[in-house]
Amino acid sequence: MARKDARLDVNRRKFLAGAAVAGAATTLTNGAQAASPGAAANKRLPSAVMPTAYQIATETGNLREPTTQITGRPNSDFMVDVIKSLKIDYCYSNPASSFRALHESMINYGSNKMPEFITCMHEESSVAMCHGYFKATGKPQMALMHGTVGLQHACMAVYNAWADRVPIILVGGTDLDAAKRPPGVPTLHSAQDINALVRDFTKWDDQPVSLQHFAQSFVRAYKYAMTPPHGPVMIALDAGVQQEGIKDAKSLYTPKYIAASPPHADPAALREVAKLLVNAQNPVIIADRCARTQAGIDSLVQLAELIQAPVVNRPNRMNFPNTHHLRAGNAASLIRNADVILGLELTDFWATVNGWVDNGDHDGHGINETRMKQDTKLIHINSVELNTKSNLQDFQRFQPVDILMPADAQASLPLLIDFVKSAITSERRTVFEQRGAALRKAYAQARERSRQAAALGWDAGPVSTARLVSEIYGAVKDLDWALVNASNGVSGWQHRLMPMDKHYRWIGGSGAAGLGYGAPASIGAAHGNNSLGRFSVSIQSDGDLMFTPSALWTAAHHNIPLLSVMHNNRGYHQEVMHVQRLSNRRNRVASLGKTMGPIGTSIEGPDVDYASLAKSMGWWSAGPLKDPAELGSVLKKAVQVVQAGEPALIDVWTQPR
Amino acid sequence: MRVVSSRFALAAIAAGLVLGFGAGASASEKGKQLFVKNGCWQCHGFVGQGGVAGPALAPNVMPVEAMSSFVRNSNRAMPPYREAVLPEADLKEIHAYLTSIPKPADPKSIPLLNQ
């Protein structure tokens, strides 16, 4: 113990002098020996830490790094030029070595603008942020990720985007040359074909082998993503192609992106549909992922008004204002009486016109029953018919329809409207007026029923979902608000109690019902809305947040203003009900253990303190609130915080549904 | 049975159940616990207010015989509770609880429902 370490006596000057001698025999390319300093260096170290051959070489001026210096511009600079040509606002990403070359070019050569690097803590969040951003703004964004590990983290979110028909430009780093790639981790993070991981739920993918190939494939990928039906696309980016120097700068070019016009329905078929709609006694329009923009909503309103037909809005998008008297409340009874049903981009036509009861009949497969009359004419304009190849079964059950148009519904509506106009006679106009009057009455009655139902449990604690939604609306109604996410768990109250009159008031859900979407997608949407001057609010469920809590950090770090109000029912409530259902069906008492829901379904004991969680990542937060009377004033404060540009979260203990 | 009841009373408190009752609050404390224990709250809400997973059960409560017959024989969206799982006496307590839930305020008097 008393003995002095001889190494500490060696002063820096002596070290350098000694190292100079050793350095003469030590170069960077000296392989294994260079990596572990020689005995001479060992003796002379001025600190407890051994210098590496690299440090020695640097200090002695003997650094030779012929392989890492490139002359001229690196390929990844040109890649940035290509990316910039598409005016992508953000690159949501968790940093990774497999794309370090592009990363460096983006921030240093590209000035971290268009796209700006947004630091994410999980690739599932990166992709979901792109997902939300697109639905709020109509502009696709990009997510960069490690080829194997990052992409596997991202998979769930890519599937959500696929099922929700949302374009995202996915770029994964990989190192293809097994003889050159660094040993160890970079090999674990490479694969022959990283795109295989997401091939079944992307529209297109490629792995460019040259710089010009990258330019073509990137622009091509963007174009495919943006041609309806929209979808995510994937580009694998070889480390070698990113890193190397530009060889033939003069011949390189960036192909121009020209938006493709969406696939349009056959005019002859549309003419026939127009006749059917005009002459129908009880036509019903059902729209799901139909309106992409306000123009889509306006077209649908025009069509519905022309024939005074009720419109059922499936919740995946905002297609038709719920403030309009033709917005239908009770879809089931309309479908029962309908003689013509026009479906617009329906995810599930079968379940729209048939019912399924989840009971023990038919060996536990439940009951299937039709909801419509036998001779009801079914019409479908659906671009997803053009996506026919996937391992994943998101096409739902098969429903034969009388007229099927594999085409983009929004793009096809204007011509359908023209045909409808010319098919209308004065006799039919009188019928439409009468139908319109009846629907106006039904609309008023439905609104009154909603209010009566919302009043039930109004003062109960935990807070009822109707009260939660009403309080939120009360707090944001004077702002240009956008509801960027709401769990299914709030019983659809947002559609009944929040007047949705613009396309961005509601952007639908995850697509594939994969948890972990809500928090990051709402942050992505808020990011987009912020630049458009809109106020974003999300109704965030507890189970979903626990999949991607680190997304909160990204919002705070990048000052993304979002009001997140929790629908905290302390469980995976769908599963709570499923296990209860099966217990009953099997005549057994559901085992609850220490929780309120059947074992394995609750998020209680300990109760997660979401307010502290959010606060720890830089959010303003409050809660848990259990008494509805407290909600109004806390919401008011939170709105002010968000208006000042920061994210805010309120944890609210709610009723289950 | 006592042990079980008090465990569920605790669970209900832990769940933050502030059942907003007026004078009739104690009408069926036991029924309230049984409503939670048997999972009725999952689809109908803690105060039977209803929602997307099940209709409102209160304040317009169906007669006890009709309710019993429905709960035992339901074969559609609501899974049946047979006697072996939910004794008749317990179902009666649940009925009493539902009956004790007061009528809500007139929605016209709730400003947030008239925005």
Side-chain angles (χ1 to χ4, degrees):
Chain A
M1 277 297 258
R3 249 177 53 197
K4 267 171 91 181
D5 188 337
R7 284 179 304 175
L8 300 179
D9 286 337
V10 181
N11 70 25
R12 190 161 179 81
R13 193 178 299 272
K14 276 190 190 153
F15 160 61
L16 289 177
V21 179
T26 314
T27 68
L28 244 196
T29 49
N30 203 1
Q33 227 193 321
S36 59
N42 242 348
K43 261 196 219 156
R44 296 181 182 86
L45 282 181
S47 84
V49 182
M50 303 285 155
T52 62
Y54 181 85
Q55 282 169 328
I56 294 169
T58 319
E59 297 232 15
T60 57
N62 284 323
L63 180 65
R64 276 189 274 142
E65 240 185 349
T67 51
T68 55
Q69 296 294 331
I70 56 158
T71 49
R73 288 171 61 206
N75 278 356
S76 50
D77 281 5
F78 176 71
M79 290 176 172
V80 169
D81 292 339
V82 174
I83 295 167
K84 279 181 180 288
S85 78
L86 293 164
K87 304 200 167 34
I88 294 170
D89 297 318
Y90 298 109
C91 173
Y92 295 93
S93 184
N94 182 254
S97 57
S98 57
F99 59 80
R100 61 185 184 172
L102 181 59
H103 185 160
E104 192 276 340
S105 288
M106 278 171 55
I107 59 170
N108 294 333
Y109 168 72
S111 311
N112 197 28
K113 275 197 199 103
M114 282 265 177
E116 178 186 341
F117 198 98
I118 302 297
T119 316
C120 299
M121 290 182 161
H122 195 297
E123 290 80 358
E124 186 170 354
S125 296
S126 314
V127 176
M129 285 178 196
C130 295
H131 190 158
Y133 192 98
F134 176 81
K135 287 199 287 183
T137 62
K139 293 172 78 181
Q141 303 302 302
M142 95 185 235
L144 256 177
M145 61 203 96
H146 243 331
T148 53
V149 284
L151 192 53
Q152 289 184 82
H153 277 306
C155 278
M156 180 59 247
V158 179
Y159 183 46
N160 270 333
W162 165 258
D164 200 25
R165 319 299 169 207
V166 165
I168 297 173
I169 319 299
L170 306 161
V171 181
T174 185
D175 201 335
L176 290 173
D177 191 337
K180 285 190 188 147
R181 70 184 157 219
V185 173
T187 297
L188 290 167
H189 292 180
S190 295
Q192 283 179 38
D193 177 14
I194 57 167
N195 296 351
L197 292 167
V198 291
R199 186 157 292 134
D200 273 310
F201 39 102
T202 44
K203 267 188 90 178
W204 188 75
D205 67 87
D206 197 16
Q207 182 160 272
V209 296
S210 71
L211 196 50
Q212 189 57 62
H213 186 174
F214 169 81
Q216 292 194 3
S217 288
F218 199 82
V219 178
R220 193 196 298 265
Y222 188 96
K223 186 187 69 163
Y224 286 156
M226 285 299 284
T227 304
H230 292 152
V233 289
M234 174 82 209
I235 297 288
L237 210 50
D238 176 39
V241 179
Q242 292 174 62
Q243 256 160 227
E244 286 159 15
I246 295 176
K247 298 211 173 63
D248 191 7
K250 279 202 198 99
S251 68
L252 283 175
Y253 66 95
T254 302
K256 189 174 174 195
Y257 165 66
I258 298 165
S261 60
H264 198 283
D266 171 30
L270 285 177
R271 187 174 278 122
E272 196 184 334
V273 170
K275 271 191 227 145
L276 282 169
L277 286 174
V278 168
N279 295 309
Q281 209 155 16
N282 294 310
V284 178
I285 301 170
I286 307 175
D288 197 348
R289 289 192 181 83
C290 171
R292 286 190 296 278
T293 58
Q294 189 62 40
I297 294 175
D298 296 345
S299 292
L300 197 50
V301 168
Q302 200 186 349
L303 176 67
E305 283 180 350
L306 275 172
I307 54 172
Q308 292 293 313
V311 179
V312 176
N313 191 108
R314 306 291 299 155
N316 288 309
R317 290 291 185 280
M318 156 69 194
N319 299 290
F320 197 85
N322 63 0
T323 48
H324 195 290
H325 75 277
L326 292 174
R327 170 80 171 245
N330 188 346
S333 78
L334 287 170
I335 288 164
R336 254 194 304 279
N337 292 324
D339 52 350
V340 173
I341 296 175
L342 169 64
L344 300 170
E345 304 282 358
L346 297 189
T347 316
D348 192 350
F349 211 129
W350 186 90
T352 304
V353 292
N354 297 281
W356 174 67
V357 179
D358 184 6
N359 70 1
D361 287 8
H362 306 110
D363 241 353
H365 291 294
I367 307 171
N368 300 322
E369 53 195 10
T370 183
R371 286 199 183 123
M372 57 177 177
K373 293 192 288 196
Q374 198 129 63
D375 52 355
T376 303
K377 282 258 177 295
L378 302 183
I379 304 158
H380 200 187
I381 310 181
N382 183 23
S383 60
V384 179
E385 293 284 331
L386 299 165
N387 279 351
T388 46
K389 187 130 175 40
S390 174
N391 173 34
L392 294 142
Q393 306 278 298
D394 64 323
F395 45 72
Q396 305 290 342
R397 288 195 193 175
F398 183 58
Q399 175 60 53
V401 300
D402 298 280
I403 302 177
L404 174 64
M405 287 158 278
D408 181 60
Q410 174 167 331
S412 305
L413 281 177
L415 189 59
L416 178 61
I417 289 167
D418 286 350
F419 288 145
V420 164
K421 277 184 189 158
S422 47
I424 293 174
T425 59
S426 60
E427 193 189 317
R428 293 309 293 160
R429 206 164 276 128
T430 317
V431 174
F432 300 159
E433 273 163 24
Q434 285 162 359
R435 186 158 65 213
L439 286 167
R440 198 177 287 279
K441 210 162 132 199
Y443 175 81
Q445 285 165 349
R447 279 190 67 78
E448 187 46 36
R449 272 199 305 276
S450 290
R451 283 203 298 176
Q452 301 278 356
L456 298 177
W458 186 256
D459 294 318
V463 180
S464 79
T465 50
R467 175 85 184 250
L468 183 77
V469 169
S470 303
E471 294 276 0
I472 290 172
Y473 178 60
V476 302
K477 70 178 195 302
D478 296 328
L479 307 168
D480 191 16
W481 60 271
L483 182 61
V484 289
N485 166 55
S487 74
N488 291 337
V490 292
S491 287
W493 278 116
Q494 72 273 30
H495 301 296
R496 297 168 77 181
L497 299 174
M498 299 178 82
M500 296 191 187
D501 51 354
K502 300 200 176 97
H503 75 284
Y504 53 83
R505 298 278 196 233
W506 172 244
I507 58 172
S510 64
L515 288 187
Y517 160 89
S522 58
I523 290 165
H527 203 188
N529 280 331
N530 190 38
S531 62
L532 298 165
R534 302 173 191 153
F535 183 98
S536 298
V537 56
S538 162
I539 304 177
Q540 173 65 52
S541 65
D542 51 335
D544 179 274
L545 180 56
M546 289 306 281
F547 273 76
T548 42
S550 61
L552 300 179
W553 181 87
T554 298
H557 182 69
H558 290 281
N559 302 98
I560 300 172
L562 168 68
L563 172 58
S564 188
V565 185
M566 291 198 65
H567 166 241
N568 179 3
N569 60 14
R570 288 140 295 126
Y572 299 103
H573 197 73
Q574 198 64 37
E575 282 29 74
V576 169
M577 297 185 294
H578 273 310
V579 181
Q580 180 72 51
R581 183 178 296 283
L582 269 282
S583 306
N584 287 25
R585 197 177 286 174
R586 294 168 178 179
N587 234 2
R588 297 199 271 239
V589 175
S591 285
L592 303 181
K594 293 189 292 186
T595 55
M596 282 199 307
I599 290 172
T601 61
S602 296
I603 313 175
E604 298 170 72
D607 300 317
V608 182
D609 181 353
Y610 295 100
S612 295
L613 175 78
K615 191 162 170 252
S616 77
M617 285 191 259
W619 284 49
W620 182 95
S621 66
L625 304 185
K626 302 174 185 177
D627 180 354
E630 295 173 273
L631 206 48
S633 58
V634 178
L635 270 166
K636 211 174 189 172
K637 243 185 263 165
V639 165
Q640 283 167 1
V641 171
V642 176
Q643 281 189 296
E646 299 299 323
L649 179 141
I650 305 175
D651 180 13
V652 185
W653 280 30
T654 64
Q655 295 279 328
R657 281 286 184 259
Chain B
M1 200 57 213
R2 271 210 79 77
V3 177
V4 172
S5 304
S6 58
R7 184 153 66 81
F8 282 98
L10 282 177
I13 292 162
L17 290 175
V18 189
L19 300 166
F21 297 135
S26 59
S28 181
E29 197 56 38
K30 194 171 170 205
K32 182 167 54 172
Q33 288 163 19
L34 290 165
F35 189 80
V36 173
K37 177 193 164 192
N38 288 287
C40 315
W41 65 279
Q42 300 168 9
C43 305
H44 296 288
F46 288 113
V47 289
Q49 78 274 16
V52 73
L57 302 180
N60 301 320
V61 189
M62 58 167 62
V64 69
E65 299 76 24
M67 183 163 136
S68 171
S69 152
F70 181 87
V71 168
R72 306 286 178 216
N73 304 306
S74 163
N75 189 33
R76 289 186 62 82
M78 162 139 168
Y81 285 78
R82 314 265 183 232
E83 243 197 285
V85 170
L86 176 62
E88 192 61 23
D90 288 1
L91 188 57
K92 288 207 165 87
E93 298 281 358
I94 289 175
H95 186 269
Y97 163 60
L98 291 171
T99 313
S100 75
I101 293 171
K103 285 216 174 340
D106 181 351
K108 287 194 188 77
S109 71
I110 301 174
L112 284 175
L113 291 177
N114 296 277
Q115 341 187 39

